[in-house]
């Protein structure tokens, strides 16, 4: 475009202003179109020509506008300036759709050339959410408008809300916004007028920037600030003299809420109502809550206490308040209704179950009366009818309404006067069973008034009483106990009696017979028998102990009465019978588990190292009982049989007709047949005598296994010296088990003239553990002078050979005493009667001692040397 260079002088500013006015008066779209045409038509040929540049227009007073100037330059036939022909007009005309003159295209290019830095606007944020807001509460948000252009100011012509009921513009400083990032603000307030959602509302700002408007979106919801669950509380069902009903305030916004007590429209007595803590009313009758989380609940427990008879009404007012207590929004009222219409109240919710109420005996003709008082507290009278007072429910037949008090009246006057009208209902309780009898229900149904109910919970009881029983069950007073025949001094079990307080209420005092007051019988009672609480029991052991062969009839009397009572005792008697018989020795019998008598128990084959088990029982066939002393096994192989005699342990009584068990274990230490004798020793009678069980044979055979036993002696030869007719000093022989398994020493063989006694070794048979040792004591007693040879052989179970020790002895002659002393003989020692008398005396002493020793061993269950051999 060959445009003549124009000098831009002082009039440029005036021209630019006229161009701005033209652009502004046109539309932003002209500017957009002009920018596109300029950059595609003009600069296509004149990329480097600065003659035609943005803002480079001549300023002359004759120019009306940039558009007319360009039209004069570009339009064919124009009078202003020199005219320019093709290709300029052709290009412009083509852009203008072939029109002539080329006014539209020229106007667009003029709009862009005259104002190349057109303002651009941005609004922040694009939308605001006010959330949930209580109705009539307010919240504000601010929008910011920014001019992002670099040349011209942003001119705002208007700001409009689509919803002016719930949203309001409270501040707006947007008029002209400077280029280069200048800003202005518009503040919008949300004040919902109803409970609804107000979303997608708009704020529209009109201006001269591209597009002509900027739009922001508004969202918000109006909600109820708080709700009340009950707006009327009717206190007619409340038991006199006061009661509590509740209403719940749900605080949707978490605001401060003020609750006040106020006067009612009628029957106004607001002071009869109060709030339970923590919502305690202040001196002005109000309570103000603090702020809290939205959605919190405040439970208001409203208490009614009638200050006088008749209707007593009030009001609770509930309102939101701000931080200084100024009310916000409307006031919600809760109506409080006290005692409207006829109102019957009672002074008890139940009868007969007070802790101070005694129970009533069910086996006597006892009754208990209790009363409940009925009040008229409403504004209308109470009218009684035949169905006003009824009793129903479980065990209702045990309760009776007496025809007195309320039941003798036609009704009660209204409760508006003073004192309050009242009457009494009397209920009689006569139980037919024990325990709580009910609950039966006393119903008071007065026409027009709320129905009242009273629970009847009487207690049927049995007073303290003595019940006696034994193993056979309960005993009646006057029953008999027969002990049968018992030997004098015999051991018999006592009869156990159980004393029980058969009552359900009250302690029982029990007095026992004095000690020794019942000949032939002894009584041993638990200490607890003196005082029995209900259902408690104690034991009394009754034993028959005859001292002569005669009958022992007697009467046992237990005396009882309620604890703390001074009434006469009740007597419970039992007839006792028993016969004393002469003493006799009880008979013991070995039996199997079924009670069949047996004399032997065979284990059969048992592997060495693997014990076999069994059991037998020792039964006492009487007469009388025995006290166990000892149960053991004796014999060569006794150590191979292990006993568990704990059930028959020493001191254990085995009464007539009973038995105790002996556990058996066969544990062979080596192969071969094993035999032992099971014996039991007990005592009976007074004075006590030994009672022996018959010997019982135990047999078993060890199978397999090896033995590494090795019995050693401390010396293989012992030499003794003594005087003929006297004993030598004893010599000690130590035997040691040098093997790895126990050695069972079953006995000894020793030559005549020598004796062997246990020193530290047990009596044979015994077991010597691996590595253990013990000592034997050997003595030499020659009858004549000279030398002797002998041998000690120690027998080992399971071994054919014995441990042998050689013995030798040297006997010196006796000293010659014939020349002195006094004798009635003739000097020949063999015929000296004094010597033979001394020998006989010494022999008698030895025989007596050995006989006593054998008897001691038999009582202890220990085999004698003869038995050992």
């Amino acid at each position: 475009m060959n445009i003549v260079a124009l000098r831009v002088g002082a009039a440029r500013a005036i021209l630019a202003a006229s161009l701005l006015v033209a652009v502004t008066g046109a539309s932003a779209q002209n500017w957009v179109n002009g920018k596109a045409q300029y950059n595609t038509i003009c600069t296509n040929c004149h990329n480097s020509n600065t003659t035609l540049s943005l803002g480079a227009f001549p300023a002359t007073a004759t120019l009306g506008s940039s558009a007319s100037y360009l039209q004069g330059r570009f339009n064919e036939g124009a009078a202003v300036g020199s005219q320019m022909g093709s290709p300029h007009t052709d290009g412009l005309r083509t852009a203008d759709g072939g029109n002539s003159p080329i006014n539209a295209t020229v106007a667009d290019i003029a709009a862009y050339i005259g104002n190349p830095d057109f303002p651009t606007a941005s609004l922040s944020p694009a939308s605001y959410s006010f959330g949930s807001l209580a109705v009539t509460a307010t919240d504000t948000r601010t929008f910011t408008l920014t001019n992002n252009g670099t040349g011209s100011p942003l001119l705002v012509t208007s700001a409009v809300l689509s919803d002016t009921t719930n949203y309001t513009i409270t501040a707006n400083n947007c008029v002209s916004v400077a280029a280069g990032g200048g800003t202005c603000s518009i503040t919008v307030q949300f004040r919902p007028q109803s409970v609804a959602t107000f979303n997608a509302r708009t704020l529209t700002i009109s201006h001269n920037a591209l597009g002509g408007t900027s739009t922001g979106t508004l969202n918000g919801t109006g909600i109820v600030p708080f709700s009340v669950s009950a707006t009327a509380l009717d206190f007619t069902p409340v038991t006199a003299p006061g009661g509590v009903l509740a209403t719940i305030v749900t605080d949707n916004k978490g605001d401060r809420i003020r609750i006040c007590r106020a006067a009612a429209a009628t029957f106004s007595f607001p002071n009869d109502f109060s709030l339970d803590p923590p919502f305690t009313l202040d001196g002005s009758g109000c309570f103000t809550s603090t702020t809290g989380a939205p959605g919190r609940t405040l439970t208001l427990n409203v208490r009614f206490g009638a200050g006088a008879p008749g209707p007593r009404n009030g009001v609770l007012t509930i309102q939101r308040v701000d931080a200084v207590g100024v009310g916000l929004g409307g006031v919600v009222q809760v109506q409080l209704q006290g005692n409207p219409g006829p109102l019957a109240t009672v002074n008890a919710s139940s009868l007969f179950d007070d802790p101070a109420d005694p129970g009533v005996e069910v086996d006597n003709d006892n009754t208990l009366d209790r009363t409940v008082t009925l009040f008229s507290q409403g504004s209308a009278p109470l009218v009684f009818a035949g169905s006003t007072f009824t009793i129903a429910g479980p065990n209702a037949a045990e309760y009776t309404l007496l025809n007195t008090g309320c039941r003798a009246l036609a009704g009660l006057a209204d409760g508006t006067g003073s004192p309050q009208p009242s009457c009494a209902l009397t209920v009689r309780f006569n139980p037919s069973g024990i325990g709580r009898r009910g609950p039966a229900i006393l119903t008071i149904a007065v026409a027009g008034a709320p129905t009242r109910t009273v629970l009847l919970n009487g207690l049927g009881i049995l007073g303290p009483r003595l019940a006696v029983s034994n193993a056979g069950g309960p005993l009646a007073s006057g029953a008999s106990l027969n002990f049968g025949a018992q030997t004098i001094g015999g051991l018999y079990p006592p009869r156990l009696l159980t004393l029980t307080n058969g009552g359900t209420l009250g302690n029982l005092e029990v007095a026992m017979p004095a000690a020794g007051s019942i000949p032939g019988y002894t009584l041993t009672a638990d200490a607890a028998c003196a005082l029995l609480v209900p259902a408690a029991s104690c034991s009394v052991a009754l034993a028959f102990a005859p001292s002569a062969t005669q009958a022992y009839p007697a009467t046992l009397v237990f005396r009882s009465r309620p604890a703390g009572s001074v009434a006469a005792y009740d007597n419970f008697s039992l007839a006792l019978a028993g016969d004393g018989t002469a003493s006799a020795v009880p008979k013991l019998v070995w039996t199997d588990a079924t009670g069949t008598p047996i004399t032997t128990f065979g284990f059969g084959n048992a592997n060495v190292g693997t014990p076999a088990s069994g059991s037998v029982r020792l039964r006492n066939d009487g007469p009388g009982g025995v006290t166990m002393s000892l149960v053991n096994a004796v014999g060569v192989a006794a150590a191979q049989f292990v006993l568990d005699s704990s059930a028959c342990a020493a001191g254990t009584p085995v009464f007539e007709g009973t038995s105790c068990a002996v556990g058996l274990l066969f544990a062979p230490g080596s192969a071969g047949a094993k035999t032992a004798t099971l014996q039991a020793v007990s005592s009976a009678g007074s004075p006590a005598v030994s009672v022996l069980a018959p010997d019982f044979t135990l047999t078993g055979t060890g199978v397999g296994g090896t033995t590494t036993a090795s019995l050693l002696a401390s010396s293989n030869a012992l030499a003794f010296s003594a005087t003929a007719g006297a004993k030598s000093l004893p010599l000690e022989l130590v035997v040691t088990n040098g093997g790895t398994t126990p050695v069972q020493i079953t006995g000894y063989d020793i030559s005549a003239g020598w004796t062997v006694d246990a020193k530290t070794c047990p009596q044979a048979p015994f077991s010597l553990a691996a590595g253990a040792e013990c000592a034997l004591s050997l003595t030499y007693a020659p009858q004549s002078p000279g030398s002797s040879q002998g041998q000690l052989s120690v027998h080992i179970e399971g071994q054919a050979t014995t441990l042998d020790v050689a013995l030798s002895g040297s006997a010196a002659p006796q000293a010659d005493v014939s020349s002195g002393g006094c004798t009635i003989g003739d000097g020949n020692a063999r015929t000296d009667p004094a010597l033979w008398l001394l020998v006989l005396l010494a022999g008698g002493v030895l025989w007596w001692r050995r006989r006593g020793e054998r008897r001691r061993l038999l009582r202890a269950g220990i085999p004698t040397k003869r038995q050992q051999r």
Side-chain angles (χ1 to χ4, degrees):
M1 184 178 291
N2 186 14
I3 299 177
V4 177
L6 299 176
R7 299 291 185 181
V8 179
R12 178 179 296 176
I14 299 173
L15 178 61
S18 66
L19 289 171
L20 176 60
V21 171
V23 171
T24 305
S27 71
Q29 190 61 45
N30 298 131
W31 186 87
V32 173
N33 294 338
K35 180 178 180 181
Q37 293 162 352
Y38 173 82
N39 287 310
T40 57
I41 299 174
C42 299
T43 60
N44 188 40
C45 297
H46 301 280
N47 288 329
S48 60
N49 190 345
T50 59
T51 304
L52 181 62
S53 60
L54 295 176
F57 290 94
T60 63
T62 61
L63 295 175
S65 69
S66 62
S68 63
Y69 174 78
L70 288 177
Q71 289 171 356
R73 294 285 292 170
F74 297 125
N75 284 344
E76 297 175 308
V80 181
S82 60
Q83 305 303 309
M84 303 187 70
S86 279
H88 307 93
T89 55
D90 294 339
L92 294 173
R93 186 175 291 110
T94 299
D96 200 26
N99 295 323
S100 180
I102 319 169
N103 295 329
T105 302
V106 170
D108 290 343
I109 295 175
Y112 175 65
I113 294 175
N115 188 23
D117 291 324
F118 194 77
T120 59
S122 63
L123 186 64
S124 177
S127 65
Y128 262 128
S129 176
F130 289 86
S132 297
L133 194 64
V135 172
T136 71
T138 60
D139 193 8
T140 58
R141 299 285 189 273
T142 298
F143 290 89
T144 300
L145 184 67
T146 303
N147 183 359
N148 296 311
T150 59
S152 300
L154 175 67
L155 301 180
V156 178
T157 57
S158 65
V160 179
L161 292 169
S162 65
D163 179 353
T164 57
T165 301
N166 300 287
Y167 296 93
T168 306
I169 295 175
T170 59
N172 181 2
N173 63 359
C174 291
V175 179
S176 177
V177 184
T183 62
C184 68
S185 61
I186 298 177
T187 300
V188 178
Q189 180 189 75
F190 177 46
R191 181 184 175 89
Q193 299 301 305
S194 61
V195 178
T197 299
F198 306 102
N199 291 339
R201 292 350 187 225
T202 59
L203 166 66
T204 302
I205 304 170
S206 299
H207 47 65
N208 66 334
L210 179 64
T213 60
S214 296
T215 303
T217 304
L218 306 173
N219 298 302
T221 302
I223 63 172
V224 176
F226 62 87
S227 60
V228 182
S229 67
T231 56
L233 300 180
D234 184 357
F235 285 87
T236 54
V238 179
T239 302
V244 177
L245 294 178
T247 187
I248 298 177
V249 178
T250 301
D251 183 4
N252 300 317
K253 289 296 295 175
D255 297 319
R256 288 160 53 94
I257 297 177
R258 181 168 58 216
I259 300 103
C260 296
R261 178 178 59 197
T266 59
F267 303 108
S268 180
F269 296 95
N271 290 340
D272 285 7
F273 302 90
S274 61
L275 290 180
D276 283 356
F279 309 110
T280 306
L281 302 179
D282 60 19
S284 65
C286 294
F287 172 86
T288 302
S289 72
T290 58
T291 57
R296 66 174 174 170
T297 58
L298 308 176
T299 301
L300 306 180
N301 288 316
V302 184
R303 185 174 296 276
F304 171 54
R312 316 285 292 182
N313 299 338
V315 171
L316 281 185
T317 63
I318 305 173
Q319 184 183 27
R320 291 189 305 121
V321 295
D322 61 16
V324 296
V326 176
L328 300 173
V331 177
V332 175
Q333 289 190 347
V334 178
Q335 300 297 324
L336 308 177
Q337 305 287 332
N339 300 348
L343 176 63
T345 61
V346 290
N347 65 348
S349 60
S350 62
L351 294 180
F352 302 105
D353 56 359
D354 188 275
D357 276 342
V360 180
E361 290 270 5
V362 300
D363 55 354
N364 293 314
D365 191 19
N366 295 333
T367 60
L368 181 65
D369 293 345
R370 288 290 180 262
T371 60
V372 59
T373 301
L374 177 67
F375 297 88
S376 175
Q377 290 192 317
S379 58
L382 303 180
V383 179
F384 300 155
S387 60
T388 297
F389 309 106
T390 59
I391 295 177
N395 307 114
E398 300 178 22
Y399 300 91
T400 305
L401 268 173
L402 301 186
N403 292 319
T404 60
C406 297
R407 298 199 69 197
L409 301 175
L412 292 174
D414 61 57
T416 57
S418 181
Q420 289 180 333
S422 65
C423 60
L425 282 170
T426 301
V427 183
R428 175 163 293 172
F429 175 47
N430 184 13
S432 59
I434 63 173
R436 287 293 171 190
R437 310 302 294 169
I441 301 174
L442 167 62
T443 300
I444 304 170
V446 178
T451 299
R452 302 299 183 193
T453 58
V454 179
L455 299 181
L456 308 178
N457 280 307
L459 178 65
I461 67 168
L462 293 175
R465 62 201 58 216
L466 181 64
V468 181
S469 62
N470 63 4
L475 297 173
S477 181
S480 299
L481 292 180
N482 194 333
F483 287 81
Q486 292 187 189
T487 60
I488 298 171
L491 181 63
Y492 294 90
R495 302 284 181 90
L496 291 180
L497 300 176
T498 299
L499 307 188
T500 303
N501 180 354
T504 61
L505 187 68
N507 298 339
L508 181 68
E509 173 190 338
V510 180
M512 298 290 168
S517 62
I518 310 176
Y521 299 90
T522 59
L523 201 68
T524 305
D526 292 346
C529 289
L531 185 68
L532 296 174
V533 300
S537 299
C538 68
S539 294
V540 175
L542 178 63
F544 176 43
S547 58
T549 56
Q550 65 180 46
Y552 285 85
T555 300
L556 169 63
V557 178
F558 296 114
R559 300 187 300 153
S560 64
R561 64 183 176 186
S565 172
V566 296
Y569 284 101
D570 291 327
N571 292 334
F572 186 101
S573 62
L574 293 173
L576 307 180
D579 294 294
T581 62
S583 298
V585 177
K587 179 182 178 182
L588 301 181
V589 179
W590 294 106
T591 74
D592 61 14
T594 66
T596 302
I598 56 176
T599 59
T600 184
F601 189 94
F603 285 93
N605 294 335
N607 290 327
V608 174
T610 305
S613 62
S615 67
V616 295
R617 301 190 69 85
L618 180 63
R619 188 178 70 203
N620 178 8
D621 285 345
V626 298
T627 301
M628 296 305 301
S629 301
L630 173 71
V631 176
N632 67 349
V634 296
V636 173
Q640 310 300 305
F641 299 90
V642 181
L643 308 183
D644 177 9
S645 58
S646 56
C648 302
T652 301
V654 181
F655 297 111
E656 180 179 341
T658 65
S659 62
C660 62
V662 177
L664 305 175
L665 194 70
F666 177 43
S670 60
K674 316 293 181 185
T675 301
T677 299
L678 179 64
Q679 58 183 17
V681 181
S682 64
S683 62
S686 178
V689 297
S690 293
V691 181
L692 304 180
D695 287 345
F696 187 84
T697 302
L698 302 175
T699 63
T701 301
V703 178
T706 60
T707 177
T708 58
S710 177
L711 192 63
L712 305 175
S714 58
S715 175
N716 58 5
L718 294 177
F720 298 84
S721 60
T723 301
K727 283 186 177 182
S728 69
L729 293 175
L731 295 181
E732 183 178 281
L733 179 69
V734 177
V735 292
T736 303
N737 181 2
T740 59
T741 59
V743 171
Q744 184 72 14
I745 297 176
T746 60
Y748 316 102
D749 287 335
I750 195 166
S751 300
W754 281 273
T755 59
V756 58
D757 292 301
K759 186 173 184 181
T760 61
C761 292
Q763 291 289 337
F766 67 91
S767 178
L768 189 61
E773 63 179 26
C774 66
L776 298 172
S777 179
L778 283 76
T779 55
Y780 175 50
Q783 297 301 314
S784 58
S787 297
S788 301
Q789 301 295 322
Q791 180 176 284
L792 168 67
S793 296
V794 180
H795 292 272
I796 306 170
E797 183 183 271
Q799 295 185 11
T801 60
T802 58
L803 174 64
D804 298 327
V805 178
L807 307 177
S808 62
S810 176
Q814 290 182 339
D816 186 5
V817 295
S818 59
S819 59
C822 179
T823 179
I824 59 174
D826 56 2
N828 185 346
R830 294 182 179 270
T831 59
D832 189 346
L835 177 60
W836 285 107
L837 179 60
L838 291 174
V839 170
L840 290 175
L841 288 174
V845 170
L846 290 174
W847 175 83
W848 179 258
R849 288 181 177 177
R850 289 179 179 175
R851 180 176 179 273
E853 180 66 13
R854 283 196 300 271
R855 294 182 62 186
R856 183 185 68 79
L857 292 175
L858 285 174
R859 285 196 299 270
I862 300 173
T864 64
K865 292 181 180 179
R866 180 180 300 170
Q867 291 173 320
Q868 294 172 4
R869 297 192 185 99

